[in-house]
Amino acid sequence: MLFALQCTDKSGALQLRLDTRPDHVAYLNDLNAKGILKMAGPFLGDDGKPTGSLVIVKTETIDDARAIAEADPYAKAGLFSNVEIKAFNWVFNNPEA
């Protein structure tokens, strides 16, 4: 099952995001190598700077998706003000469809 992790950065946390990014990218690369990560990228503000993240993962349960979200270096660093996890149905342009 697919889950969307919708993560909102805390206000004024851009430097924390930049400082933590290498560990975050390594974490996502590991998820990708395991076939868990389906897509990911930042939300952007009007100024073009990141304001959050969208991460789509394939897991058995929402609890597994929650564990992935909690283990993300961004989450561990306290970057996010909010994380929503929702079941996701990838209908259009799904390479696995």
Side-chain angles (χ1 to χ4, degrees), residues 16-95:
L16 177 60
R17 173 179 274 274
L18 296 174
D19 292 345
T20 312
R21 188 173 188 280
D23 291 337
H24 168 73
V25 170
Y27 180 68
L28 293 183
N29 280 331
D30 183 57
L31 292 176
N32 190 50
K34 293 176 181 174
I36 296 169
L37 180 68
K38 295 303 170 186
M39 64 182 290
F43 292 113
L44 303 176
D46 292 339
D47 60 0
K49 294 180 182 171
T51 61
S53 298
L54 174 64
V55 179
I56 308 282
V57 295
K58 184 175 184 179
T59 66
E60 293 294 319
T61 67
I62 195 167
D63 289 334
D64 293 338
R66 188 172 292 110
I68 288 168
E70 291 170 355
D72 187 317
Y74 278 168
K76 287 183 172 186
L79 175 63
F80 302 131
S81 65
N82 186 51
V83 176
E84 284 188 73
I85 301 172
K86 298 179 181 182
F88 180 73
N89 184 17
W90 193 349
V91 177
F92 292 97
N93 297 322
N94 181 344

